[in-house]
Amino acid sequence: MDARITRIRTKLAALPATEQATLGPVLTETQVGDFEDTHGIRLPQEFRQFLTQIGHAGYGPTYGLLPMERWLGRRGAGQLSEPFPIVPDLDVPMGPDDRCDLEGSFPGTLTIVDRGCSDRTLLVVTGPGRGRLVEVNTEGFFAPCFSSDSDFLSWYERWLDFVRAGHLNLHWFSDQMAGDEDHLVATLLDDELPTRRRAAACTFLTHPAPSAALPGTLLRALAAEPHPAVRTAVLRALAAQGDRGRDLLAAALTDPVPDVRALAAVLMTRTTPPSAPLPAERRQALSRRLPHEPDDSVRDAIQRALAYAP
């Protein structure tokens, strides 16, 4: 038996009653096998283990895990044997989904979680990302984005760990990754994959007990980071550290990417408490940047930030 099965059972049992951490009964091998035979596929082993040894549907991210009868949604059953075409971790997707070959159908996947509106968490059963979880929007508002977790059991155990640790906002769960601060910092500074560096940065958005050294470490990561999507995540992580982190955001006002500079300006205007005046150093940094800013949209962001800040 996979050791994660025992750990997940133990962690589920240790959650407080307020979590209502209830899963439906396990599925039998016959039930799982009949589903596989009907659709001409085999479920990823880790998901199969969860269904037959832990439970089926119920407690999980957002609105919980969906039952078998909702895995396909309105899609045709034949699509399960067609590969989901996207290769995980090649790059960090930015902006709306422009992959016209998907058209919201997402072949080769099961819908595991309905996150509300048109957001879904899918499990890839056919294709290069087999076994991985991927976040999609059925209307193309954002491009498919793979979870950092290697398989379903790792993904679900991370969910339990985040709940138990008291992460400040589980809305960001799908963008984050497992690990303590030392592991996350090492990933952010040294990992070759921008998808993993971004996930590490996003985890600091809600990390329940960051060290006093973290803002300085994030600033160092910002200066060394080549990928704009990762730099954006680092900016948000800095802002999440309160005024100590926001005081360091001025370093991004000269970033080569206009969207990154604009986000830095917006995040700099937040204060603790929210009604507090904008610190003089931040106001001065924004004012100094304004006459030298070449991009109209960024100048507008700086002007609005200065006008909005008390």
Side-chain angles (χ1 to χ4, degrees):
M1 178 187 294
D2 193 315
R4 291 175 294 178
I5 298 292
T6 301
R7 292 203 305 266
I8 288 172
R9 287 173 175 166
T10 300
K11 291 173 181 180
L12 275 168
L15 290 173
T18 53
E19 279 297 310
Q20 299 180 338
T22 302
L23 292 167
V26 297
L27 298 180
T28 66
E29 290 288 343
T30 298
Q31 288 173 305
V32 174
D34 286 348
F35 179 89
E36 293 175 328
D37 292 342
T38 297
H39 301 301
I41 54 100
R42 286 294 177 263
L43 296 179
Q45 180 63 22
E46 297 80 9
F47 186 52
R48 211 176 197 280
Q49 288 179 306
F50 185 90
L51 296 172
T52 60
Q53 299 181 42
I54 296 178
H56 166 238
Y59 184 71
T62 318
Y63 299 115
L65 305 177
L66 294 176
M68 179 188 287
E69 58 267 23
R70 294 185 60 190
W71 288 349
L72 293 181
R74 299 177 181 176
R75 291 174 289 154
Q79 288 187 321
L80 277 189
S81 60
E82 300 173 18
F84 184 70
I86 301 178
V87 178
D89 302 327
L90 287 183
D91 198 6
V92 182
M94 298 179 67
D97 180 17
D98 58 0
R99 294 183 62 93
C100 59
D101 54 331
L102 290 180
E103 297 180 347
S105 61
F106 309 114
T109 65
L110 302 176
T111 301
I112 301 300
V113 176
D114 185 337
R115 298 176 60 199
C117 298
S118 51
D119 293 350
R120 307 287 186 269
T121 301
L122 310 181
L123 174 69
V124 181
V125 298
T126 309
R130 175 175 163 80
R132 294 281 296 273
L133 284 299
V134 60
E135 303 297 325
V136 303
N137 181 274
T138 59
E139 298 180 71
F141 292 147
F142 59 83
C145 181
F146 278 89
S147 164
S148 61
D149 308 288
S150 60
D151 55 54
F152 183 87
L153 290 178
S154 296
W155 175 83
Y156 193 80
E157 185 172 12
R158 179 168 68 86
W159 164 255
L160 297 179
D161 289 341
F162 276 32
V163 172
R164 295 170 71 237
H167 270 255
L168 303 180
N169 184 347
L170 292 171
H171 172 76
W172 284 95
F173 172 76
S174 61
D175 295 287
Q176 298 173 316
M177 70 186 307
D180 59 17
E181 182 171 323
D182 288 344
H183 172 78
L184 295 171
V185 165
T187 301
L188 179 59
L189 294 176
D190 300 324
D191 200 285
E192 293 181 357
L193 293 176
T195 52
R196 289 182 55 80
R197 299 198 302 273
R198 180 184 180 276
C202 285
T203 308
F204 287 125
L205 285 166
T206 65
H207 201 284
S211 72
L214 182 60
T217 301
L218 292 172
L219 182 64
R220 182 157 55 98
L222 180 68
E225 176 54 53
H227 200 297
V230 183
R231 295 201 299 277
T232 293
V234 174
L235 289 182
R236 295 188 184 281
L238 272 169
Q241 309 312 307
D243 284 338
R244 290 184 62 246
R246 293 188 193 106
D247 287 343
L248 302 176
L249 292 171
L253 292 177
T254 56
D255 191 278
V257 177
D259 285 350
V260 177
R261 299 198 300 273
L263 178 63
V266 171
L267 294 175
M268 285 172 68
T269 63
R270 297 180 183 176
T271 56
T272 306
S275 59
L278 185 67
E281 294 83 358
R282 276 185 252 165
R283 181 176 290 279
Q284 290 168 3
L286 289 166
S287 298
R288 284 196 301 268
R289 177 60 191 175
L290 185 58
H292 304 288
E293 174 53 56
D295 187 274
D296 290 341
S297 63
V298 181
R299 282 201 305 275
D300 182 61
I302 293 174
Q303 289 170 337
R304 284 187 285 108
L306 288 170
Y308 174 78

